[in-house]
Amino acid sequence: MRVLLTGSSGWLGRHLAPRLRGDGRKVVGFDVAPGPQTDVIGSVADRALVDRVFAEHAIDAVIHAAALHKPDIARYPRQKFVDVNVSGTLNLLEAAVAAGASRFVFTSTTSLMISPAIREGQGEAAAWIDETLSPLVPRNIYGVTKLAAERLCRLIHDEHALPVLVLRTARFFPEEDDTHRALSGENMKANELLHRRLTVADAVEAHVAALERAPEIGFDTFILSAPTPFAREEAAALKADAAAVIARHFPDAAELYAARGWKLPGSIDRVYDASRAERVLGFRCRTDFASMLAALRRGDAFPVEHDADYASPALGFAAAIG
């Protein structure tokens, strides 16, 4: 299988490409920025280049992980998001159909499911977020364009029977959060394993599973996040006193956190439920909050990637986007 991997120089791509090659797959890395896993430098918004890559490399499968992301909102106008996230996705989908590709995996985001109301923490209970959440009201241009790209994936599948799986990934970036700085980066990432984070290693394995299962499934959308220990019935309690709920599930969590100078969340406003990916795709993240506590008990290394200085390699190649 010859796989076109867009975003190959990014955080996911640099981990995913070696994994795919290790399985014996031929990988053609495509990115606006150079990198050790990237073979073609350019933008997915360039239709002529996309068509040339498919023709020259006999592409049979696509993992489309390239995108402008939420932090890019401060750097690019909305039109760039449309060009890259929407038009670029359509370019790849149509090229895949023309080439007779056997499958297409689209890396999407749980961010498009977060409305302004959820973002602001409105309501008396944590929002329980699974694939049935409706209506979807993205709060920014990033979410709007990723949702539009998802709908193009569905349209192309319906019209041409191209197997497409959409993976709505929760957070797996290594850098500091760009909006919340009340906690240290490691403390915040540890907390997020309860309800809105996965490791990049788990994101990689989810994409491998999707690549394998796409022809069998046909079309579907999956939330990817570490399995939450909570039940939907605990949503109100999580909003009111998350630490008390955590203590019921993990009696020594507060003590382990205190030893490290960390704080448990006082309130949780949303929970991503990834159980459908386990039931239908057959994928479950290996690293969860229990893994984090086990590492703290043993004094092991932090099981979630954290790099306060990480920056996307695409930042130095803004001129290539478009």
Side-chain angles (χ1 to χ4, degrees):
M1 182 189 301
R2 193 174 293 270
V3 182
L4 177 63
L5 172 61
T6 71
S8 52
S9 294
W11 181 245
L12 175 63
R14 69 177 64 178
H15 291 85
L16 180 53
R19 172 69 173 83
L20 294 170
R21 291 184 174 121
D23 280 350
R25 295 181 175 92
K26 303 295 184 181
V27 179
V28 178
F30 187 125
D31 203 297
V32 295
Q37 307 301 333
T38 296
D39 306 287
V40 178
I41 298 175
S43 172
V44 294
D46 183 342
R47 180 57 186 267
L49 176 60
V50 169
D51 288 341
R52 186 162 68 250
V53 170
F54 270 82
E56 292 179 355
H57 296 278
I59 300 300
D60 176 56
V62 179
I63 297 179
H64 179 28
L68 288 183
H69 296 277
K70 189 249 184 183
D72 294 313
I73 292 174
R75 295 185 282 266
Y76 300 105
R78 293 188 182 96
Q79 186 60 53
K80 286 294 184 183
F81 280 80
V82 174
D83 295 343
V84 175
N85 294 358
V86 182
S87 298
T89 301
L90 181 60
N91 287 342
L92 291 162
L93 287 164
E94 291 184 338
V97 170
S102 65
R103 65 206 72 192
F104 193 107
V105 177
F106 177 56
T107 309
S108 190
T109 173
T110 52
S111 179
L112 64 82
M113 307 179 78
I114 306 304
S115 66
I118 294 175
R119 173 72 172 178
E120 294 164 10
Q122 296 178 14
E124 297 182 353
W128 197 267
I129 301 174
D130 63 16
E131 293 83 355
T132 67
L133 181 71
S134 181
L136 296 178
V137 187
R139 69 187 187 277
N140 54 38
I141 189 64
Y142 171 52
V144 166
T145 54
K146 293 297 280 188
L147 180 57
E150 283 192 8
R151 290 176 172 165
L152 286 172
C153 287
R154 181 70 205 224
L155 177 67
I156 296 301
H157 167 76
D158 288 346
E159 291 185 348
H160 300 282
L162 174 67
V164 182
L165 296 189
V166 174
L167 304 182
R168 290 179 180 166
T169 61
R171 294 177 165 207
F172 62 89
F173 56 78
E175 64 265 35
E176 300 282 2
D177 187 280
D178 63 346
T179 55
H180 301 287
R181 296 296 177 92
L183 301 176
S184 71
E186 288 189 342
N187 188 169
M188 188 166 183
K189 288 178 172 65
N191 289 354
E192 288 173 345
L193 282 175
L194 287 161
H195 63 116
R196 61 181 300 191
R197 177 169 285 276
L198 70 162
T199 65
V200 69
D202 280 328
V204 164
E205 293 307 316
H207 282 75
V208 172
L211 192 68
E212 294 173 349
R213 297 288 309 284
E216 173 189 349
I217 294 173
F219 182 90
D220 216 327
T221 300
F222 301 103
I223 289 173
L224 298 180
S225 190
T228 181
F230 308 127
R232 188 185 293 262
E233 293 75 21
E234 296 175 296
L238 286 169
K239 188 68 176 294
D241 189 354
V245 181
I246 295 166
R248 290 201 297 268
H249 290 271
F250 306 101
D252 65 342
E255 179 182 355
L256 291 167
Y257 263 49
R260 189 148 182 160
W262 287 357
K263 294 181 180 179
L264 289 167
S267 177
I268 289 177
D269 63 1
R270 74 196 75 167
V271 176
Y272 295 140
D273 181 351
S275 59
R276 191 167 188 278
E278 185 171 356
R279 293 193 309 272
V280 179
L281 183 59
F283 174 79
R284 177 185 174 93
C285 290
R286 296 185 62 183
T287 300
D288 57 11
F289 188 70
S291 305
M292 173 62 67
L293 295 184
L296 292 178
R297 290 188 198 101
R298 296 190 299 262
D300 289 350
F302 192 62
V304 177
E305 301 81 5
H306 175 70
D307 181 355
D309 298 321
Y310 177 81
S312 168
L315 292 180
F317 294 86
I321 300 178

